[in-house]
Amino acid sequence: MERLRSFLYYLRENPKLGIGLGMIAVLILFGVVGRLLVDPGLAQPLSTTPRQAPSWEHLFGTDDAGRDLLTVMVVGMPLTIRIGFLAGGVGLGLGILLGFVSGYLGGKIDTVIRGTVDTLLTVPSLVVLISIASTVREEISIELMALVVASLSWMWPTRTIRAQVLTLRERAYVQMAKLNGMNSFEIIWKELFPNLLPYLAASFVGAVSWAILATIGLEALGLGPQNEPTMGMTIYWAITFSALIRGMWWWWSIPIAFLVLLFVGLFLVAAGLDELANPKQRRAV
Amino acid sequence: MHWGYALKRFALFLLVIWAAASVNFFVPRLGTGRDPIREKLGQLAASGGLRQEGVEEMVKAYQAKFGLDKPLYVQYFNYLGDLLRLDLGYSLANYPARVGQMIGNAMPWTLGLLLVSTLVSFSFGTLAGALVAWPRSPRFLQGLVVPLMTLSAIPYYLLGLILLYVLGLELKLFPLSGGYAPGTLPGWNLDFALEVLHHSMLPALSIVLAAVGFWGLGMRGMMVSTVGEDYISLAEANGLRDRTIFLRYAVRNAFLPQFTALGLSLANVVAGQVLVEVVFAYPGVGTLLFQSIQSSDYTAINGVVFVIILSIGLVTMLMDFLYPLLDPRISHRR
């Protein structure tokens, strides 16, 4: 309770974190509560009258194939967030592993990891993902989608975590622990890791945000799970069936509004966590 | 420039291209062990129709190089050899068009759009970022941070859809899709140039709007720390004009990392543009990629992916060579 109060107190000083967390919480709640209120079956094609403008019966209208868009949002938002968290989690996990090994051990292994990361960062990852996703297109599922995206989401975390580890490694308390006879693993786990927690949280949010961006990009090109009503697939269907020109504004504007909320929320949380991790920036931002 | 460095950097470039090509070759053949190009060719051959002759020729040419009777490494070297000669093969969906030719037709469109929108957003965003962080700029400018942040968080193509609706469909200021109106003859004259310009305004605007936020935030971060430096205080104490301090002392020093970021983020800019092109049905490489995905034209998909990686690799390498000219502190000499 005491902790919660001091956290809320901190949020007043760091409004970005507060507002961002609030936006994400609202989106997640929307999915959880919405699930209880609507029938998820309505997110499937041919479940209701197609091409209806928003009305009391269909708050967000319906699309060409007869999906109720409110239900699509309720079902699709959590799916998209799940892909993001899965891919971002795997990416951050790899990033932590490689970043700590590279930064703490140094030497040849560091040269190899750093070289690989710097090289891969200049490669347009979305384009590589397109080539991978187009070959597994028929059998792609939510989880496979997350894995495909995760395969290229570890470089940025690796790079930044390595840089942090490099500065922490020279701190007096780490030297002290070394003199006391702790082995490398213990030092990483007990000394470095806890001190990097806020920083890792910021990296995680960044990775999730990147993963969602990449996922939506792939899906908007038609490379997502065809039978799942995710946010990106909804945009793909809207583009493919020219919702815009046919005046079906609700079909594309509603998913965009939700995605803008999601991206701005994630961005604010990342910026807020950055501030928490580097108090020196506090004045700056 | 140091020749040893140039050589090393070029070797790295070749390595990246080779790795990308290998991923392109091996990923489809891994796992399921199936070869999508072969499957698609099989379908084409079985469905027959008017263009049967061409299909058979394609199948024959493909078998000669990538036939199952050949061991994998022979297929692989055939593939690398083709790429070395920039031979991307026939399009599966539009025989007898060659993939290289299709990309060649689309490339000028993409390059034009990319160049203009990146230059505009980079210069405008950098200036906006610098002004936002400058303590003596007017209050309304400092308040720009919030819109800049919001814009930087929204993907290009989503912004594009909104612009398309408001400026194109509702206000009818700009055409809705394509690179030029159907019926006009492409040619080197003023009318056609204006037509193209008119059509590319909306796609360019959606890239610019979203990217301005990114460049603005980056510049702002650098400016904030530069403004705190002692030499700025000294310049102020010396009574230099505000303008001089701003441009010569602050912006000039804060600008370099911004240029480095341009090289690093180029890949993302291009990826974003692919989707913008799809939204506007702009006749560039992105739309070509989209159409190829929709018609399962695997040779075209592979070709476009390879060309994009190749060109970005080239540009990144050129930028690495340019840094020492811009910043004397970087010399590429160890």
Side-chain angles (χ1 to χ4, degrees):
Chain A
M1 206 53 217
E2 193 55 36
R3 277 196 159 177
L4 186 71
R5 190 173 301 161
S6 71
F7 178 67
L8 287 178
Y9 193 76
Y10 174 74
L11 283 187
R12 220 185 305 166
E13 265 180 45
N14 191 342
K16 262 181 264 164
L17 186 60
I19 297 172
L21 282 177
M23 284 165 79
I24 304 293
V26 166
L27 286 177
I28 292 178
L29 266 182
F30 171 79
V32 174
V33 176
R35 199 81 205 206
L36 304 173
L37 301 178
V38 300
D39 165 20
L42 287 176
Q44 296 305 321
L46 302 179
S47 56
T48 180
T49 334
R51 292 180 287 278
Q52 296 294 304
S55 64
W56 282 114
E57 201 187 341
H58 301 287
L59 270 184
F60 290 169
T62 63
D63 73 0
D64 235 12
R67 300 182 188 87
D68 172 58
L69 282 169
L70 173 64
T71 318
V72 168
M73 294 301 111
V74 166
V75 178
M77 200 67 210
L79 283 181
T80 296
I81 295 181
R82 202 166 94 205
I83 298 181
F85 274 62
L86 268 175
V90 174
L92 181 76
L94 280 173
I96 289 178
L97 185 71
L98 294 173
F100 273 95
V101 166
S102 181
Y104 190 77
L105 298 181
K108 274 227 172 64
I109 196 162
D110 178 37
T111 317
V112 171
I113 292 178
R114 201 186 54 192
T116 317
V117 166
D118 283 354
T119 314
L120 281 179
L121 275 177
T122 63
V123 172
S125 23
L126 183 70
V127 178
V128 178
L129 292 179
I130 287 172
S131 129
I132 299 175
S134 67
T135 63
V136 288
R137 186 174 180 187
E138 271 94 44
E139 54 257 51
I140 203 153
S141 62
I142 298 284
E143 283 74 21
L144 188 59
M145 188 80 191
L147 277 183
V148 168
V149 172
S151 70
L152 284 179
S153 68
W154 51 272
M155 287 97 72
W156 200 252
T158 304
R159 189 187 163 114
T160 49
I161 290 168
R162 173 181 171 275
Q164 289 295 316
V165 171
L166 276 184
T167 66
L168 280 190
R169 194 175 65 172
E170 304 305 325
R171 298 279 167 87
Y173 64 83
V174 177
Q175 300 297 328
M176 199 61 204
K178 214 181 259 176
L179 284 179
N180 281 342
M182 269 185 167
N183 62 33
S184 297
F185 179 76
E186 272 177 319
I187 292 179
I188 288 179
W189 186 241
K190 289 185 183 153
E191 303 288 337
L192 297 180
F193 202 76
N195 282 296
L196 275 178
L197 269 183
Y199 193 83
L200 294 177
S203 294
F204 175 65
V205 177
V208 168
S209 187
W210 185 88
I212 294 182
L213 188 68
T215 309
I216 308 262
L218 284 179
E219 288 174 343
L221 285 171
L223 290 173
Q226 307 285 324
N227 302 321
E228 302 278 1
T230 62
M231 304 299 285
M233 286 318 287
T234 310
I235 289 188
Y236 169 70
W237 297 125
I239 293 179
T240 312
F241 293 105
S242 350
L244 199 86
I245 299 171
R246 293 165 56 201
M248 296 169 73
W249 52 270
W250 59 92
W251 193 357
W252 55 270
S253 62
I254 287 167
I256 288 185
F258 273 90
L259 284 176
V260 167
L261 270 181
L262 178 63
F263 280 120
V264 173
L266 284 171
F267 178 80
L268 288 175
V269 173
L273 283 173
D274 241 10
E275 220 170 290
L276 180 73
N278 314 307
K280 262 188 215 153
Q281 270 198 349
R282 217 167 263 170
R283 192 189 60 90
V285 178
Chain B
M1 171 121 37
H2 210 246
W3 285 111
Y5 171 77
L7 217 66
K8 231 196 228 165
R9 185 63 188 74
F10 187 68
L12 184 67
F13 165 72
L14 288 183
L15 190 74
V16 170
I17 302 305
W18 168 75
S22 305
V23 167
N24 245 353
F25 178 84
F26 283 111
V27 165
R29 287 168 174 80
L30 276 175
T32 45
R34 42 180 276 252
D35 176 351
I37 300 182
R38 178 184 314 283
E39 281 174 21
K40 179 80 183 172
L41 276 173
Q43 281 171 21
L44 284 177
S47 66
L50 283 174
R51 296 182 317 189
Q52 185 66 19
E53 222 171 292
V55 171
E56 259 167 25
E57 221 161 87
M58 249 194 322
V59 173
K60 256 186 221 148
Y62 190 79
Q63 293 290 8
K65 271 183 182 150
F66 305 106
L68 280 181
D69 51 329
K70 309 264 191 307
L72 199 62
Y73 73 91
V74 175
Q75 294 183 38
Y76 179 57
F77 282 118
N78 278 333
Y79 170 78
L80 286 185
D82 277 357
L83 283 185
L84 214 58
R85 278 175 276 120
L86 285 179
D87 175 6
L88 300 172
Y90 288 108
S91 155
L92 290 180
N94 306 306
Y95 186 86
R98 300 195 66 93
V99 172
Q101 192 191 341
M102 286 160 70
I103 297 175
N105 290 340
M107 209 43 154
W109 293 96
T110 295
L111 281 182
L113 182 61
L114 183 72
L115 209 67
V116 173
S117 52
T118 307
L119 276 181
V120 172
S121 59
F122 181 73
S123 32
F124 195 70
T126 304
L127 189 68
L131 283 174
V132 161
W134 185 239
R136 274 181 297 280
S137 33
R139 264 203 86 71
F140 79 91
L141 271 180
Q142 297 188 9
L144 272 181
V145 177
V146 181
L148 277 184
M149 275 188 172
T150 319
L151 284 177
S152 80
I154 305 173
Y156 298 172
Y157 46 98
L158 295 186
L159 219 52
L161 277 171
I162 299 173
L163 283 178
L164 196 56
Y165 180 70
V166 176
L167 296 180
L169 203 69
E170 289 293 308
L171 300 177
K172 301 206 168 26
L173 288 177
F174 297 101
L176 290 176
S177 70
Y180 49 90
T184 37
L185 232 57
W188 293 105
N189 53 51
L190 188 67
D191 278 356
F192 186 68
L194 286 177
E195 173 93 28
V196 167
L197 200 67
H198 195 207
H199 274 81
S200 52
M201 278 311 266
L202 275 187
L205 196 62
S206 64
I207 299 178
V208 167
L209 265 187
V212 153
F214 178 75
W215 297 120
L217 284 186
M219 186 64 183
R220 177 173 165 274
M222 283 313 298
M223 268 301 264
V224 165
S225 54
T226 311
V227 166
E229 295 280 349
D230 288 342
Y231 59 81
I232 298 280
S233 313
L234 180 67
E236 279 167 8
N238 280 340
L240 293 182
R241 279 190 309 157
D242 257 8
R243 241 177 86 93
T244 318
I245 304 178
F246 177 68
L247 287 177
R248 294 279 179 89
Y249 286 72
V251 170
R252 206 171 165 198
N253 281 296
F255 178 69
L256 278 165
Q258 194 70 353
F259 190 77
T260 320
L262 184 62
L264 275 177
S265 68
L266 201 71
N268 282 326
V269 176
V270 172
Q273 187 175 332
V274 166
L275 290 149
V276 169
E277 284 184 9
V278 171
V279 168
F280 291 97
Y282 188 80
V285 174
T287 306
L288 176 62
L289 184 61
F290 181 64
Q291 285 163 352
S292 316
I293 292 172
Q294 292 217 310
S295 56
S296 304
D297 189 343
Y298 292 102
T299 44
I301 298 176
N302 284 347
V304 173
V305 167
F306 180 75
V307 168
I308 292 181
I309 292 174
L310 181 74
S311 19
I312 288 184
L314 259 177
V315 175
T316 327
M317 180 171 69
L318 288 180
M319 291 186 96
D320 273 355
F321 289 153
L322 277 181
Y323 290 143
L325 299 179
L326 290 169
D327 185 354
R329 285 171 297 184
I330 305 172
S331 69
H332 290 327
R333 251 174 252 255
R334 291 278 155 89

